[in-house]
Coordinates of all heavy atoms in Angstrom, one line a residue:
M39 N -64.3 107.9 111.7 CA -65.3 107.0 111.1 C -65.0 106.7 109.7 O -64.7 107.6 108.9 CB -66.7 107.7 111.2 CG -67.6 107.2 112.3 SD -68.3 105.6 112.1 CE -69.9 105.9 111.3
A40 N -65.1 105.5 109.3 CA -64.8 105.1 107.9 C -66.0 105.5 107.1 O -67.1 105.6 107.5 CB -64.7 103.5 107.9
E41 N -65.7 105.8 105.9 CA -66.6 106.3 104.9 C -67.3 105.2 104.1 O -66.5 104.5 103.5 CB -66.0 107.3 104.0 CG -67.0 108.2 103.2 CD -66.2 109.0 102.1 OE1 -65.0 109.2 102.3 OE2 -66.9 109.4 101.2
L42 N -68.6 105.1 104.2 CA -69.2 104.0 103.5 C -69.7 104.5 102.1 O -70.2 105.7 102.0 CB -70.5 103.5 104.2 CG -70.2 102.6 105.4 CD1 -71.5 102.3 106.1 CD2 -69.5 101.3 105.0
Q43 N -69.5 103.7 101.1 CA -70.0 104.1 99.8 C -70.6 102.9 99.1 O -70.3 101.7 99.4 CB -68.7 104.5 98.9 CG -68.4 106.0 99.1 CD -67.5 106.5 98.1 OE1 -67.2 105.8 97.1 NE2 -67.0 107.7 98.3
N44 N -71.4 103.1 98.0 CA -71.9 102.1 97.2 C -70.9 101.8 96.1 O -70.4 102.7 95.5 CB -73.2 102.5 96.6 CG -74.4 102.3 97.5 OD1 -74.5 101.2 98.2 ND2 -75.2 103.3 97.6
C45 N -70.5 100.5 95.9 CA -69.6 100.2 94.8 C -70.2 100.6 93.5 O -71.3 100.2 93.2 CB -69.4 98.7 94.9 SG -68.4 98.1 93.5
P46 N -69.4 101.3 92.7 CA -70.0 101.8 91.4 C -70.2 100.6 90.4 O -70.9 100.8 89.4 CB -68.9 102.8 90.9 CG -67.7 102.4 91.6 CD -68.1 101.8 93.0
N47 N -69.5 99.5 90.7 CA -69.6 98.3 89.8 C -70.9 97.5 90.1 O -71.6 97.2 89.2 CB -68.4 97.4 90.0 CG -67.5 97.5 88.8 OD1 -67.7 98.2 87.9 ND2 -66.4 96.8 88.9
C48 N -71.1 97.1 91.4 CA -72.1 96.2 91.7 C -73.1 96.7 92.7 O -74.1 96.0 93.0 CB -71.5 94.9 92.2 SG -70.6 95.1 93.8
G49 N -72.8 97.9 93.3 CA -73.8 98.5 94.2 C -73.7 98.1 95.7 O -74.4 98.5 96.5
T50 N -72.7 97.2 96.0 CA -72.5 96.7 97.3 C -72.0 97.9 98.2 O -71.2 98.7 97.7 CB -71.5 95.6 97.3 OG1 -72.0 94.5 96.6 CG2 -71.2 95.1 98.8
L51 N -72.5 97.9 99.4 CA -72.0 98.9 100.4 C -70.6 98.5 100.9 O -70.4 97.3 101.3 CB -72.9 99.0 101.5 CG -72.9 100.4 102.3 CD1 -73.3 101.5 101.4 CD2 -73.9 100.3 103.5
Y52 N -69.6 99.4 100.8 CA -68.3 99.0 101.3 C -67.6 100.2 101.9 O -68.0 101.3 101.8 CB -67.5 98.5 100.1 CG -67.0 99.5 99.2 CD1 -65.6 99.9 99.1 CD2 -67.9 100.2 98.3 CE1 -65.2 100.9 98.3 CE2 -67.4 101.2 97.4 CZ -66.1 101.5 97.4 OH -65.7 102.5 96.6
V53 N -66.5 99.9 102.6 CA -65.8 101.0 103.3 C -64.8 101.6 102.3 O -63.9 100.9 101.8 CB -65.0 100.5 104.5 CG1 -64.2 101.7 105.2 CG2 -65.9 99.9 105.5
H54 N -65.0 102.8 101.9 CA -64.1 103.5 100.9 C -62.8 103.8 101.4 O -62.6 104.2 102.6 CB -64.8 104.7 100.4 CG -64.1 105.5 99.3 ND1 -63.4 106.6 99.5 CD2 -64.0 105.2 98.0 CE1 -62.9 107.0 98.4 NE2 -63.2 106.1 97.5
N55 N -61.7 103.6 100.7 CA -60.4 104.2 101.0 C -59.8 104.6 99.7 O -60.2 104.3 98.6 CB -59.5 103.2 101.8 CG -59.0 102.0 101.0 OD1 -58.4 102.3 99.9 ND2 -59.3 100.8 101.4
I56 N -58.7 105.4 99.8 CA -58.1 106.0 98.7 C -57.5 105.1 97.6 O -57.3 105.4 96.5 CB -57.0 107.1 99.0 CG1 -55.9 106.5 99.9 CG2 -57.6 108.3 99.7 CD1 -54.7 107.3 100.0
F57 N -57.2 103.9 98.0 CA -56.6 102.9 97.1 C -57.7 102.1 96.3 O -57.4 101.4 95.4 CB -55.7 101.9 97.8 CG -54.6 102.6 98.6 CD1 -54.6 102.7 100.0 CD2 -53.6 103.3 97.9 CE1 -53.6 103.3 100.7 CE2 -52.6 104.0 98.6 CZ -52.6 104.0 100.0
R58 N -58.9 102.2 96.8 CA -60.0 101.4 96.2 C -61.2 102.2 95.9 O -61.7 102.8 96.8 CB -60.4 100.2 97.2 CG -59.4 99.1 97.1 CD -59.9 98.1 98.1 NE -58.7 97.3 98.4 CZ -58.8 96.1 99.1 NH1 -59.9 95.7 99.5 NH2 -57.7 95.5 99.3
D59 N -61.6 102.1 94.7 CA -62.8 102.8 94.3 C -64.0 101.8 94.0 O -65.0 102.2 93.5 CB -62.6 103.8 93.1 CG -62.0 103.1 91.9 OD1 -61.9 101.8 92.0 OD2 -61.7 103.8 91.0
T60 N -63.7 100.5 94.4 CA -64.8 99.5 94.3 C -64.7 98.7 95.5 O -63.8 98.8 96.3 CB -64.5 98.6 93.1 OG1 -63.2 98.0 93.2 CG2 -64.6 99.3 91.7
C61 N -65.7 97.8 95.7 CA -65.8 96.9 96.8 C -64.7 95.8 96.7 O -64.1 95.6 95.7 CB -67.2 96.3 97.0 SG -67.5 95.0 95.7
E62 N -64.5 95.0 97.8 CA -63.5 94.0 97.8 C -63.6 93.0 96.7 O -62.7 92.6 96.0 CB -63.6 93.2 99.2 CG -62.6 92.1 99.4 CD -61.2 92.7 99.7 OE1 -61.1 93.8 100.2 OE2 -60.2 91.9 99.4
N63 N -64.9 92.6 96.4 CA -65.1 91.6 95.3 C -64.7 92.1 94.0 O -64.0 91.5 93.2 CB -66.6 91.2 95.3 CG -66.9 90.0 96.1 OD1 -66.0 89.3 96.5 ND2 -68.2 89.8 96.3
C64 N -65.2 93.3 93.7 CA -64.9 93.9 92.4 C -63.4 94.2 92.3 O -62.8 94.1 91.2 CB -65.7 95.2 92.1 SG -67.4 94.8 92.0
F65 N -62.8 94.6 93.4 CA -61.3 94.9 93.4 C -60.6 93.7 93.0 O -59.6 93.8 92.2 CB -60.9 95.4 94.8 CG -59.5 95.7 94.9 CD1 -59.0 96.9 94.4 CD2 -58.6 94.8 95.5 CE1 -57.6 97.2 94.5 CE2 -57.2 95.1 95.6 CZ -56.8 96.3 95.1
R66 N -60.9 92.6 93.6 CA -60.2 91.3 93.3 C -60.4 90.9 91.8 O -59.5 90.5 91.2 CB -60.8 90.2 94.2 CG -60.4 90.4 95.6 CD -59.8 89.1 96.2 NE -59.4 89.4 97.6 CZ -60.0 88.9 98.6 NH1 -61.0 88.1 98.5 NH2 -59.6 89.2 99.8
T67 N -61.6 91.0 91.3 CA -61.9 90.7 89.9 C -61.1 91.6 89.0 O -60.5 91.1 88.1 CB -63.4 90.9 89.6 OG1 -64.2 90.2 90.6 CG2 -63.8 90.4 88.3
E68 N -61.1 92.9 89.4 CA -60.3 93.8 88.6 C -58.8 93.5 88.6 O -58.2 93.6 87.5 CB -60.6 95.2 89.1 CG -60.8 96.3 88.1 CD -61.2 97.6 88.7 OE1 -60.2 98.3 89.1 OE2 -62.3 97.9 88.8
E69 N -58.4 93.1 89.7 CA -56.9 92.8 89.9 C -56.6 91.6 88.9 O -55.5 91.6 88.3 CB -56.7 92.4 91.3 CG -55.3 92.8 91.8 CD -55.2 92.6 93.3 OE1 -55.8 91.6 93.8 OE2 -54.5 93.4 93.9
K70 N -57.4 90.6 88.8 CA -57.2 89.5 88.0 C -57.1 89.9 86.5 O -56.3 89.5 85.7 CB -58.3 88.4 88.1 CG -57.9 87.4 89.2 CD -59.0 86.3 89.2 CE -59.1 85.8 90.7 NZ -60.4 85.3 91.0
L71 N -58.1 90.8 86.1 CA -58.1 91.3 84.8 C -56.9 92.1 84.5 O -56.3 92.1 83.4 CB -59.4 92.2 84.6 CG -60.7 91.4 84.6 CD1 -61.9 92.4 84.5 CD2 -60.8 90.4 83.5
Y72 N -56.5 92.9 85.5 CA -55.3 93.7 85.3 C -54.0 92.8 85.1 O -53.2 93.1 84.2 CB -55.0 94.5 86.6 CG -53.9 95.5 86.5 CD1 -54.1 96.8 86.0 CD2 -52.6 95.2 86.8 CE1 -53.1 97.7 85.9 CE2 -51.6 96.1 86.7 CZ -51.8 97.3 86.2 OH -50.8 98.2 86.1
D73 N -54.0 91.7 85.8 CA -52.9 90.7 85.6 C -52.9 90.2 84.1 O -51.8 90.0 83.5 CB -53.1 89.5 86.5 CG -52.4 89.8 87.9 OD1 -51.7 90.8 88.0 OD2 -52.6 89.0 88.8
T74 N -54.1 89.9 83.7 CA -54.2 89.4 82.3 C -53.7 90.4 81.3 O -52.9 90.0 80.4 CB -55.7 89.1 82.0 OG1 -56.3 88.3 83.0 CG2 -55.9 88.5 80.6
V75 N -54.0 91.6 81.5 CA -53.6 92.7 80.6 C -52.1 92.9 80.7 O -51.3 93.0 79.7 CB -54.3 94.0 80.8 CG1 -53.7 95.2 80.0 CG2 -55.8 93.8 80.5
A76 N -51.6 92.9 81.9 CA -50.2 93.1 82.2 C -49.3 92.0 81.5 O -48.3 92.2 80.9 CB -49.9 93.2 83.7
T77 N -49.8 90.8 81.7 CA -49.1 89.6 81.1 C -49.1 89.8 79.5 O -48.1 89.5 78.9 CB -49.9 88.3 81.5 OG1 -49.9 88.3 82.9 CG2 -49.1 87.1 81.0
F78 N -50.3 90.2 79.0 CA -50.4 90.4 77.6 C -49.4 91.4 77.1 O -48.7 91.2 76.1 CB -51.8 90.8 77.2 CG -52.0 91.1 75.8 CD1 -52.2 90.1 74.8 CD2 -52.1 92.4 75.3 CE1 -52.4 90.4 73.5 CE2 -52.3 92.8 74.0 CZ -52.4 91.8 73.1
L79 N -49.3 92.5 77.8 CA -48.4 93.6 77.3 C -46.9 93.4 77.6 O -46.1 94.1 77.0 CB -48.9 94.9 78.0 CG -50.2 95.5 77.6 CD1 -50.6 96.7 78.4 CD2 -50.2 95.9 76.1
R80 N -46.7 92.4 78.4 CA -45.3 92.1 78.7 C -44.6 91.4 77.5 O -43.4 91.4 77.4 CB -45.2 91.2 80.0 CG -44.2 91.7 81.0 CD -44.3 90.9 82.2 NE -45.2 91.5 83.2 CZ -46.0 90.9 84.0 NH1 -46.1 89.6 83.9 NH2 -46.7 91.5 84.9
K81 N -45.4 90.8 76.7 CA -44.8 90.1 75.5 C -44.4 91.2 74.5 O -45.1 92.1 74.2 CB -45.9 89.2 74.8 CG -46.2 88.0 75.6 CD -47.2 87.1 74.9 CE -47.7 86.0 75.8 NZ -49.0 85.5 75.4
R82 N -43.2 91.0 74.0 CA -42.5 92.0 73.1 C -43.4 92.4 72.0 O -43.6 93.6 71.7 CB -41.2 91.4 72.6 CG -40.4 92.3 71.7 CD -39.2 91.6 71.2 NE -38.2 91.5 72.3 CZ -37.3 92.5 72.6 NH1 -37.2 93.6 71.8 NH2 -36.4 92.3 73.5
E83 N -44.1 91.4 71.3 CA -44.9 91.7 70.1 C -46.2 92.5 70.5 O -46.8 93.0 69.6 CB -45.2 90.5 69.3 CG -46.1 89.5 70.0 CD -45.4 88.4 70.8 OE1 -44.3 88.7 71.3 OE2 -46.0 87.3 70.9
N84 N -46.5 92.5 71.8 CA -47.7 93.2 72.2 C -47.5 94.6 72.8 O -48.5 95.3 73.1 CB -48.5 92.3 73.2 CG -49.0 91.0 72.6 OD1 -49.2 90.9 71.4 ND2 -49.2 90.0 73.5
R85 N -46.3 95.0 72.9 CA -46.0 96.2 73.6 C -46.6 97.4 72.9 O -46.9 98.4 73.6 CB -44.4 96.4 73.6 CG -43.8 95.4 74.6 CD -42.9 96.0 75.6 NE -42.6 94.9 76.6 CZ -41.4 94.4 76.6 NH1 -40.4 94.9 75.9 NH2 -41.1 93.4 77.5
T86 N -46.7 97.4 71.6 CA -47.3 98.5 70.9 C -48.7 98.3 70.4 O -49.2 98.9 69.6 CB -46.4 98.9 69.7 OG1 -46.3 97.7 68.9 CG2 -45.0 99.3 70.1
A87 N -49.3 97.3 71.1 CA -50.7 96.9 70.7 C -51.7 98.1 70.9 O -51.6 98.8 71.8 CB -51.2 95.7 71.5
H88 N -52.6 98.3 69.9 CA -53.6 99.3 70.0 C -54.6 98.8 71.1 O -54.8 97.6 71.3 CB -54.3 99.4 68.7 CG -55.3 100.6 68.6 ND1 -56.6 100.4 69.0 CD2 -55.1 101.8 68.3 CE1 -57.2 101.6 68.8 NE2 -56.3 102.5 68.4
I89 N -55.3 99.8 71.7 CA -56.2 99.5 72.8 C -57.3 98.5 72.4 O -57.7 97.7 73.1 CB -56.7 100.8 73.5 CG1 -57.4 100.5 74.8 CG2 -57.6 101.6 72.5 CD1 -57.4 101.6 75.8
D90 N -57.8 98.7 71.1 CA -58.8 97.8 70.6 C -58.3 96.4 70.5 O -59.1 95.4 70.7 CB -59.3 98.3 69.2 CG -60.1 99.5 69.3 OD1 -60.8 99.8 70.4 OD2 -60.2 100.3 68.4
T91 N -57.0 96.2 70.2 CA -56.4 94.9 70.1 C -56.4 94.3 71.5 O -56.7 93.1 71.7 CB -55.0 95.0 69.5 OG1 -55.1 95.8 68.4 CG2 -54.5 93.6 69.2
V92 N -56.0 95.1 72.5 CA -55.9 94.6 73.9 C -57.3 94.1 74.4 O -57.4 93.1 75.0 CB -55.4 95.7 74.8 CG1 -55.3 95.2 76.3 CG2 -54.0 96.2 74.4
V93 N -58.3 94.9 74.0 CA -59.7 94.6 74.4 C -60.1 93.2 73.8 O -60.6 92.3 74.4 CB -60.7 95.7 73.9 CG1 -62.1 95.2 74.1 CG2 -60.5 97.0 74.7
E94 N -59.8 93.1 72.5 CA -60.1 91.9 71.7 C -59.4 90.7 72.3 O -60.0 89.6 72.4 CB -59.7 92.2 70.3 CG -60.3 91.2 69.3 CD -59.7 91.4 67.9 OE1 -59.7 92.5 67.4 OE2 -59.2 90.4 67.4
K95 N -58.1 90.8 72.6 CA -57.3 89.7 73.0 C -57.5 89.3 74.4 O -57.3 88.1 74.8 CB -55.8 89.9 72.7 CG -55.5 90.2 71.3 CD -55.3 89.0 70.5 CE -54.9 89.3 69.1 NZ -54.9 88.2 68.1
T96 N -57.7 90.3 75.3 CA -57.8 90.0 76.7 C -59.3 89.9 77.2 O -59.5 89.3 78.3 CB -57.1 91.0 77.6 OG1 -57.7 92.3 77.4 CG2 -55.6 91.1 77.2
G97 N -60.2 90.5 76.5 CA -61.6 90.5 76.9 C -61.9 91.5 78.0 O -63.0 91.4 78.6
V98 N -60.9 92.4 78.2 CA -61.1 93.4 79.3 C -61.8 94.6 78.7 O -61.4 95.0 77.6 CB -59.8 93.8 79.9 CG1 -60.0 94.9 80.9 CG2 -59.1 92.5 80.6
E99 N -62.8 95.2 79.4 CA -63.5 96.3 78.9 C -62.6 97.5 78.7 O -61.7 97.8 79.5 CB -64.6 96.7 79.9 CG -65.9 95.9 79.8 CD -66.8 96.4 80.9 OE1 -67.1 97.6 81.0 OE2 -67.2 95.5 81.6
K100 N -62.9 98.3 77.6 CA -62.1 99.4 77.3 C -62.1 100.5 78.4 O -61.1 101.1 78.8 CB -62.6 100.1 76.0 CG -61.6 100.9 75.3 CD -62.2 101.6 74.1 CE -61.9 100.9 72.8 NZ -62.2 101.7 71.6
A101 N -63.3 100.6 79.0 CA -63.4 101.6 80.1 C -62.5 101.3 81.3 O -61.9 102.2 81.9 CB -64.9 101.6 80.6
L102 N -62.3 100.0 81.5 CA -61.4 99.6 82.6 C -60.0 99.9 82.2 O -59.2 100.4 83.1 CB -61.6 98.1 82.8 CG -61.4 97.5 84.2 CD1 -62.1 98.4 85.3 CD2 -61.9 96.1 84.3
L103 N -59.6 99.7 81.0 CA -58.3 100.0 80.5 C -58.0 101.5 80.7 O -56.9 101.8 81.1 CB -58.1 99.5 79.1 CG -58.1 98.0 78.8 CD1 -58.2 97.8 77.3 CD2 -57.0 97.3 79.4
F104 N -58.9 102.3 80.3 CA -58.7 103.7 80.4 C -58.6 104.2 81.9 O -57.8 105.0 82.2 CB -59.9 104.5 79.7 CG -59.8 104.6 78.3 CD1 -60.8 104.2 77.4 CD2 -58.6 105.1 77.7 CE1 -60.7 104.2 76.0 CE2 -58.5 105.2 76.3 CZ -59.5 104.8 75.5
K105 N -59.3 103.5 82.7 CA -59.2 103.8 84.1 C -57.8 103.5 84.6 O -57.2 104.3 85.4 CB -60.2 102.9 84.9 CG -60.4 103.3 86.4 CD -61.5 102.5 87.0 CE -60.9 101.7 88.1 NZ -61.9 100.9 88.8
W106 N -57.2 102.4 84.2 CA -55.9 102.0 84.6 C -54.8 103.0 84.0 O -53.8 103.3 84.7 CB -55.5 100.6 84.2 CG -56.4 99.6 84.9 CD1 -56.9 99.7 86.2 CD2 -56.8 98.3 84.5 NE1 -57.6 98.6 86.5 CE2 -57.5 97.7 85.5 CE3 -56.5 97.6 83.3 CZ2 -58.1 96.4 85.3 CZ3 -57.1 96.3 83.2 CH2 -57.8 95.7 84.2
V107 N -55.1 103.4 82.8 CA -54.1 104.3 82.2 C -54.1 105.6 83.0 O -53.1 106.2 83.3 CB -54.6 104.7 80.7 CG1 -53.7 105.8 80.1 CG2 -54.4 103.4 79.9
K108 N -55.3 106.1 83.4 CA -55.4 107.3 84.2 C -54.6 107.1 85.5 O -54.0 108.0 86.0 CB -56.9 107.6 84.6 CG -57.5 108.5 83.6 CD -58.8 109.0 84.1 CE -59.9 109.1 82.9 NZ -61.2 108.8 83.4
R109 N -54.7 105.9 86.1 CA -54.1 105.7 87.4 C -52.5 105.8 87.3 O -51.9 106.3 88.2 CB -54.4 104.3 87.9 CG -54.1 104.0 89.3 CD -54.5 102.6 89.7 NE -55.9 102.4 89.8 CZ -56.5 101.2 89.9 NH1 -55.7 100.1 90.0 NH2 -57.8 101.0 89.9
V110 N -52.0 105.4 86.1 CA -50.6 105.4 85.9 C -50.1 106.9 85.8 O -49.1 107.3 86.3 CB -50.2 104.6 84.6 CG1 -48.7 104.9 84.3 CG2 -50.4 103.2 84.9
D111 N -50.9 107.7 85.1 CA -50.6 109.1 85.0 C -50.6 109.8 86.4 O -49.9 110.7 86.6 CB -51.7 109.9 84.2 CG -51.5 109.5 82.7 OD1 -50.5 109.0 82.3 OD2 -52.5 109.8 81.9
Ligands
ZN361 ZN1 -68.5 95.8 93.7

């Protein structure tokens, strides 16, 4: 049986799996934001950007950035 959970972002009920900790909608939204950040960091002059600069330039929440950093670890 699939495990149902409430999305921590929007509260929607969804089927939880190990690759996703949010519902389909939030996952897609997050993926787009991730792309924005990845594109930003791919530029040579942005490689050493401080996290606050990344937040300022991409508009992505700091909490989300930290979540991605943890995922890479
Ligand atoms: Zn959601």
Side-chain angles (χ1 to χ4, degrees):
M39 257 286 269
E41 193 188 340
L42 286 176
Q43 274 194 11
N44 280 312
C45 172
N47 253 1
C48 66
T50 299
L51 204 61
Y52 75 108
V53 179
H54 182 255
N55 74 54
I56 54 164
F57 303 110
R58 280 180 203 191
D59 54 6
T60 58
C61 72
E62 183 72 26
N63 268 347
C64 292
F65 180 79
R66 292 230 177 108
T67 308
E68 224 175 82
E69 213 171 35
K70 267 184 214 152
L71 293 174
Y72 187 90
D73 273 353
T74 307
V75 173
T77 307
F78 175 79
L79 290 175
R80 228 172 268 141
K81 288 182 191 156
R82 184 180 284 271
E83 70 267 27
N84 293 335
R85 291 233 171 108
T86 54
H88 189 270
I89 192 151
D90 287 333
T91 312
V92 179
V93 171
E94 194 190 306
K95 302 276 185 189
T96 63
V98 176
E99 278 176 54
K100 202 186 262 191
L102 211 48
L103 293 171
F104 279 126
K105 191 175 120 179
W106 292 334
V107 172
K108 268 191 217 151
R109 196 181 289 170
V110 173
D111 285 348

